[in-house]
Amino acid sequence: MRKAIVTLMTICIAICIKGGPIGTWTSYLAYSDITSIAPAGKTVYVLSSKGLFAYNTGDHSIQTFDKMNALSDCNISHIAWCQQARRLIIIYQNQNIDLLDEKGHATNISAFYNKSMTADKTVNDLKVVGKDAYVATNFGILKINVAQAEITATYNLGKKVMATAVSDGYIYAACAEQGIIKGKTTDNLLDKTNWSNEADFNATHLFAFDGKLFAATDGFIYRRDNGTWQMAYNIHYTFCNLNGNKLVFGHNEGLCIFNNAGDPVIINAGISHLKAFAYDSTNNCYWSNQSDDKLYSLTLDGKEIVAGTTDLAPDGPKYNYFGFMRYANNRLYSCGGGYDSFAELFREAIVQNYSNDKWTIYEDQLQEQVGNLFQDFTCLDYDPKNPEHVFVGGRAGIYEYLNGKFVNFYNCENSPLMYATPDNSPNYILVLGLKFDKKGSLWCLNSFAEKASILELKTDGTWEEHHKEILMDDNGRSLPNMKCMILDSRGLFWFVNNHWSVPSFYCFDPTNDAMNHYVSMVNEDGATLTLTGVRCIAEDKKGNMWMGTNIGPLMLPAEDISKGSNVVLQQVKVPRNDGTNFADYLLSGVDITCIAIDGGNRKWFGTNGNGAYLISDDNMTQVQHFLADNSMLLSNNIESITINDATGEVFFGTDNGLCSYMSDATATNETMDTDNVYAYPNPVRPDYTGLITVTGLSMNADVKIVNANGTLIAEGVSNGGTFTWDGCDTDGKRVASGVYMVMTATSEGSKGTVCKIAIVN
C-alpha cells in the first residue's frame, strides 16, 4: 500500500518547493576579510569578516559556522586550535567563548561573558599551551582548560595585558606601557606580588618558540637568550602567529619566517595585501589571504612563493552592512548605510544584490573616479523600466549603476545638488532618500542644502527643482536628515526628517506640487507628542501610514490623509484585557528604526536595541518578539527590514549582519486555482514534523483540508496569501498516509480545489 501511495505521488504531484519551512532562520554573512587562520589537520579554520568558515583539504568542501547552525554568538575576535583537546577556541568581541569540536558541535563557556566586572574585559590575545588556553585581557589573564571546557584561573593583574607566553615554568605577560612581567606557575599567581618584572620594553606580542622567548614591539622583534633580550630583526609587522613550528611575522607585502630560533627567512616579493599567514604542518603548506580577500595555499621554494589551492571562500556579501534593503524583482537590493543616528559613520560604500542563491557585488572602490571618500551609501532604487538600472544616494551625491557597473555620478557640478558644508566639501552632498515614480523619473532629497531640495531627474536627463520653504530650518538650510522616501498606493511621496532639531514627516503630491507637513504631533488623547526622531515611514495594506519614532509607532489613518497637516495621529491603544478598562499604547517607548508590512497586513517593527516585533493585522496582538537571546536574530539593533512577499521570508539587516526568518504570511492572489496555489513540502515525508504551507491564496481565504472521501480534516483562514497545517486532524492526531485536497472559498463565496498534498507516514 505504501509503495502504491508513493507511486501515485510521483505520477500525480509535481511541486517545486519555493520556500523554506516556516519558522526557520537563515544567515547571509560576509566572509571577505580574512584576519586569522588556524590549521587543524585536514581542516583549516578561517576567521573572516568576524565570521568563521572551514576548508576541508580532503574533500575540498567549505563549511560556514554561525549562530544558525552551531555557534552561540556573533562577531568573533580570536580563534586558535587546541590539538590536545581537538577543539577550536572561539572568542567573541563581547567576551563570550565557544569551543568547537571536529563534528561541528559547540560548547559554550559563558562565565566570562556573564561576569559583572568594573574592569575592562576586552580580549587582546589568545595562546594555546597543551590542553590550556591563555587569554590576555585589559585587566589580566584567563586560563581555560579546553578539554574540560572551564575557566580554571583568573589573574586580575590590574594591567592591560597585550599577550602571553608560557616557557620554563613561567607565565610571561606583555603589559601595555608597563613592560613584560612573569609569574612562576607553581606560585599563587592570584597574588599580584608573585609577579615580577622581566623586561622594560613594551611588547605587543609574545611567543615561546624553539626553546626561546620572542617579543614583538611596533618595529622590532626581540629574542631572549640565556636571560638576555636582544633585537633579532627590524620589521614593522601587521600580523604574527605561531603554527606548526614556524613563527611568522608579516606586513602587507612581506614576511619574516623563523623556522627555528636562528635567523629568519625574509620574503619581500611575490605577495601583497597580506593580513593573515599561517603554516600548516599536516599539509606542508602555508595558508594566506590574497588581494581578492579569499583563502590560498602557498608553498616556499627557497624564498619564492608558489601558489597552490586558490580562490577559496564561501559565497556571501562583501560587508555585513545592510542599512537599507528592498526586495523586488525576485532579488534583494541592499546598500550599507552609515550616515544615520544608529549606524557608524564612514562605512565602505557598497551595493549588494542577492538573487538565485548568489551574491553580486556592484563595482566599488571608486574614490579616484568620483573624487570623494566614497562612503556611506544610505538609499537606492531601481528604474521601473529596467531592474538592472540602479541609482544610489549617500553622503556625497548620487551614483548610477547598470548591470552592476558604475556608469555615472551626480554631484554639485553636473546637477542641482548642493553642498552640505560651508566649505563646499565634495564629501558632503547629502542624498539620503530617493525614489522612482511609475513614469521613470527619479526623485531625491538633498539634505542640509542651501535650498529645500526635492529634485526630479526626468527620463530625458534634465533636472527640475521643487523648492519648499517648509523644508528649511532656522539655519537657512534644508532639513539635515531627510530620508526613507517612499511612493504610496495613491501616488504620493512620503519621507521623514530623522533629526532631533525638527523630528517630522512629510507628504508630497507630485501632480500638483503640494506638500503636507507633520511637525507638531498630537495623539488621539489630545496629548502633544515630544519626539527626538522620526526614523521611518511605511504604508500598510489598508492605506494607513505608519511612522517609526523614538517613542514607538504612530499611525495616520488613510481617511485622514486628505485633511492636510493638522491631523490627529494614533498611537493605537491595546486593551490590557485584565478586567479593567485600561489600555496601553502599542510598543510605547520602543525606539522604532524600520517598518515592513507583510502579506497579511501585519507590521514588522525593527528597533534600536529591542529586537524585532510582529504585530497582528488589527494591531491588537503581539505575534512575535524576536531578540538575540530568544531566537537566531543576530542582534537586537535592527537597521532595516524587507520581505520577499512570494515566500514570506523576512530579512533583518542588523549591526551584526543579515539574517532572515521564514514567516507564515505571503502576498495574496486575486484568484485561486491550481496554477498559482501550491503546498510545500509536498510530498510530506515521515521524518518531517514542521508545518505544511499552502501559499498563493487570496486575502482571508477560507481553507478546508479534506481526505479522499471528502471528510473534513482541518480548516482555517489564510494569513495574507498563506495557510499552514500541522498535518493533524481535528482531534490533533497525525493523519494517515494519503492524498489530501486543499479546498478554498473567497469572501465572495467562490469555491474550488486548488491543490493536493501527499503525506507518507
Side-chain angles (χ1 to χ4, degrees):
M1 178 67 180
R2 176 168 175 170
K3 182 177 180 180
I5 291 174
V6 174
T7 302
L8 177 65
M9 291 186 298
T10 303
I11 296 175
C12 299
I13 300 176
I15 292 295
C16 176
I17 296 178
K18 300 180 181 179
I22 288 173
T24 58
W25 289 82
T26 305
S27 61
Y28 302 89
L29 297 178
Y31 298 96
S32 63
D33 185 19
I34 296 175
T35 52
S36 184
I37 302 170
K42 290 185 177 181
T43 303
V44 181
Y45 293 99
V46 183
L47 173 57
S48 184
S49 300
K50 302 178 185 178
L52 180 69
F53 74 88
Y55 172 66
N56 188 306
T57 61
D59 60 18
H60 307 292
S61 63
I62 293 177
Q63 182 180 3
T64 60
F65 300 92
D66 55 44
K67 192 176 178 182
M68 308 302 165
N69 61 15
L71 306 185
S72 303
D73 223 314
C74 305
N75 288 341
I76 302 171
S77 61
H78 297 81
I79 62 172
W81 175 250
C82 180
Q83 179 64 26
Q84 287 194 14
R86 308 298 296 174
R87 282 173 161 176
L88 182 75
I89 306 142
I90 301 169
I91 300 181
Y92 301 92
Q93 286 185 337
N94 62 3
Q95 295 88 48
N96 206 354
I97 300 172
D98 274 343
L99 304 177
L100 184 70
D101 66 23
E102 294 174 294
K103 294 182 179 180
H105 300 144
T107 300
N108 182 236
I109 303 176
S110 61
F112 186 44
Y113 167 69
N114 291 326
K115 185 176 179 59
S116 178
M117 299 178 64
T118 57
D120 184 355
K121 297 194 291 183
T122 300
V123 173
N124 301 312
D125 184 47
L126 170 62
K127 290 287 193 336
V128 175
V129 181
K131 67 179 186 304
D132 295 318
Y134 291 83
V135 182
T137 76
N138 275 3
F139 68 85
I141 302 170
L142 292 183
K143 183 180 178 182
I144 301 172
N145 185 308
V146 182
Q148 296 180 8
E150 64 178 359
I151 297 173
T152 54
T154 301
Y155 305 122
N156 193 337
L157 305 177
K159 301 176 185 292
K160 182 178 181 179
V161 179
M162 301 302 299
T164 64
V166 178
S167 179
D168 299 327
Y170 285 87
I171 301 175
Y172 294 83
C175 304
E177 306 301 326
Q178 298 183 55
I180 301 174
I181 61 175
K182 66 180 180 180
K184 197 171 185 179
T185 56
T186 55
D187 290 343
N188 176 19
L189 296 183
L190 300 177
D191 186 348
K192 299 177 186 178
T193 62
N194 286 328
W195 293 79
S196 60
N197 183 65
E198 164 64 24
D200 293 330
F201 62 87
N202 298 316
T204 53
H205 287 85
L206 283 175
F207 297 96
F209 174 62
D210 195 26
K212 310 290 183 185
L213 275 178
F214 285 76
T217 67
D218 183 42
F220 301 97
I221 299 172
Y222 290 88
R223 181 172 50 215
R224 183 178 182 270
D225 194 2
N226 296 323
T228 303
W229 288 93
Q230 295 180 340
M231 188 181 74
Y233 196 71
N234 183 347
I235 181 174
H236 289 273
Y237 67 95
T238 56
F239 62 87
C240 55
N241 62 62
L242 174 60
N243 281 105
N245 297 320
K246 292 185 186 294
L247 178 60
V248 178
F249 295 86
H251 52 84
N252 286 339
E253 298 182 352
L255 291 169
C256 173
I257 302 175
F258 287 88
N259 295 310
N260 50 52
D263 294 332
V265 175
I266 308 300
I267 302 172
N268 290 316
I271 51 177
S272 62
H273 304 282
L274 288 177
K275 297 178 183 177
F277 199 89
Y279 180 67
D280 182 347
S281 58
T282 300
N283 296 289
N284 193 28
C285 68
Y286 295 89
W287 295 96
S288 175
N289 73 296
Q290 291 287 278
S291 58
D292 61 359
D293 288 316
K294 295 183 179 180
L295 180 67
Y296 286 73
S297 71
L298 307 169
T299 57
L300 297 183
D301 184 4
K303 294 185 179 181
E304 296 295 323
I305 295 287
V306 179
T309 308
T310 62
D311 199 28
L312 302 172
D315 183 51
K318 186 172 182 178
Y319 297 103
N320 289 319
Y321 300 148
F322 294 90
F324 179 95
M325 295 190 298
R326 183 180 180 190
Y327 199 97
N329 305 313
N330 197 31
R331 72 194 71 188
L332 177 69
Y333 298 91
S334 69
C335 58
Y339 193 88
D340 193 85
S341 301
F342 305 105
E344 60 194 77
L345 287 172
F346 312 128
R347 286 182 175 178
E348 296 290 338
I350 190 70
V351 183
Q352 306 181 125
N353 179 315
Y354 180 68
S355 179
N356 296 321
D357 297 324
K358 182 176 178 57
W359 285 91
T360 299
I361 312 302
Y362 287 28
E363 186 178 359
D364 60 357
Q365 304 301 321
L366 301 174
Q367 293 89 335
E368 294 184 3
Q369 294 187 53
V370 299
N372 60 50
L373 291 180
F374 195 65
Q375 295 171 331
D376 298 339
F377 279 2
T378 61
C379 55
L380 65 77
D381 201 11
Y382 64 90
D383 187 337
K385 300 177 182 179
N386 182 0
E388 302 293 347
H389 190 199
V390 175
F391 286 75
V392 185
R395 186 160 60 90
I398 299 174
Y399 304 78
E400 181 181 358
Y401 292 86
L402 183 62
N403 297 320
K405 300 296 183 182
F406 172 73
V407 295
N408 209 346
F409 172 58
Y410 299 93
N411 60 11
C412 301
E413 298 179 0
N414 61 357
S415 75
L417 292 170
M418 306 189 76
Y419 296 107
T421 59
D423 62 352
N424 293 343
S425 169
N427 295 320
Y428 288 93
I429 306 170
L430 303 180
V431 181
L432 310 179
L434 50 75
K435 182 67 182 171
F436 275 98
D437 63 22
K438 294 181 180 179
K439 297 181 297 182
S441 291
L442 179 68
W443 296 75
C444 61
L445 305 170
N446 191 191
S447 292
F448 222 64
E450 292 182 349
K451 286 185 179 180
S453 293
I454 299 180
L455 302 176
E456 178 186 2
L457 176 58
K458 299 182 178 181
T459 55
D460 61 4
T462 62
W463 290 84
E464 183 175 345
E465 298 181 51
H466 299 265
H467 180 79
K468 300 297 172 187
E469 285 296 325
I470 193 62
L471 297 181
M472 302 296 287
D473 66 12
D474 294 338
N475 298 315
R477 288 184 173 270
S478 59
L479 297 173
N481 195 9
M482 297 185 291
K483 58 175 289 191
C484 198
M485 194 177 201
I486 66 171
L487 184 66
D488 75 3
S489 59
R490 294 164 286 258
L492 303 174
F493 285 106
W494 297 81
F495 59 92
V496 305
N497 180 52
N498 184 29
H499 196 271
W500 60 268
S501 62
V502 189
S504 47
F505 66 99
Y506 302 83
C507 176
F508 175 67
D509 188 346
T511 62
N512 58 15
D513 205 43
M515 175 172 286
N516 291 335
H517 59 282
Y518 307 86
V519 178
S520 178
M521 302 184 198
V522 178
N523 72 7
E524 61 265 50
D525 291 329
T528 299
L529 304 177
T530 301
L531 307 176
T532 59
V534 181
R535 319 297 190 198
C536 56
I537 192 165
E539 180 188 16
D540 70 17
K541 303 297 184 184
K542 299 176 182 177
N544 305 312
M545 303 306 299
W546 289 83
M547 285 64 64
T549 78
N550 67 292
I551 65 169
L554 306 177
M555 193 261 281
L556 174 60
E559 60 269 22
D560 291 344
I561 290 174
S562 61
K563 295 179 181 179
S565 300
N566 296 318
V567 296
V568 172
L569 300 177
Q570 292 187 17
Q571 283 190 276
V572 181
K573 292 182 178 179
V574 180
R576 293 183 181 176
N577 296 323
D578 59 356
T580 69
N581 291 323
F582 295 124
D584 299 296
Y585 292 130
L586 176 66
L587 301 183
S588 179
V590 178
D591 196 348
I592 307 296
T593 56
C594 48
I595 304 172
I597 311 298
D598 70 15
N601 198 39
R602 303 180 301 179
K603 293 80 188 176
W604 290 86
F605 294 108
T607 74
N608 176 32
N610 208 15
Y613 292 86
L614 173 59
I615 304 299
S616 62
D617 173 19
D618 63 4
N619 310 317
M620 294 295 106
T621 303
Q622 179 179 300
V623 181
Q624 298 280 7
H625 181 199
F626 293 126
L627 293 165
D629 60 2
N630 72 4
S631 72
M632 295 299 174
L633 190 66
L634 297 177
S635 169
N636 290 330
N637 299 316
I638 315 297
E639 298 182 3
S640 59
I641 300 178
T642 193
I643 301 174
N644 179 352
D645 286 326
T647 64
E649 186 174 12
V650 183
F651 294 89
F652 301 97
T654 79
D655 60 354
N656 285 339
L658 176 65
C659 62
S660 72
Y661 173 79
M662 192 61 71
S663 76
D664 58 353
T666 56
T668 59
N669 284 323
E670 292 185 6
T671 61
M672 296 178 289
D673 53 44
T674 55
D675 292 331
N676 57 21
V677 179
Y678 62 90
Y680 66 90
N682 198 3
V684 181
R685 302 193 182 279
D687 58 349
Y688 183 75
T689 58
L691 293 173
I692 303 162
T693 302
V694 181
T695 190
L697 304 171
S698 62
M699 179 68 77
N700 297 324
D702 289 320
V703 181
K704 290 181 171 58
I705 309 292
V706 300
N707 63 15
N709 297 323
T711 303
L712 180 66
I713 301 299
E715 62 181 333
V717 178
S718 69
N719 194 2
T722 296
F723 174 79
T724 59
W725 176 38
D726 62 3
C728 297
D729 61 19
T730 53
D731 294 327
K733 297 180 180 179
R734 180 78 172 182
V735 297
S737 297
V739 177
Y740 294 81
M741 274 64 72
V742 180
M743 304 184 69
T744 63
T746 66
S747 56
E748 290 78 20
S750 178
K751 300 180 180 180
T753 299
V754 291
C755 69
K756 300 177 181 180
I757 303 172
I759 294 181
V760 180
N761 287 325

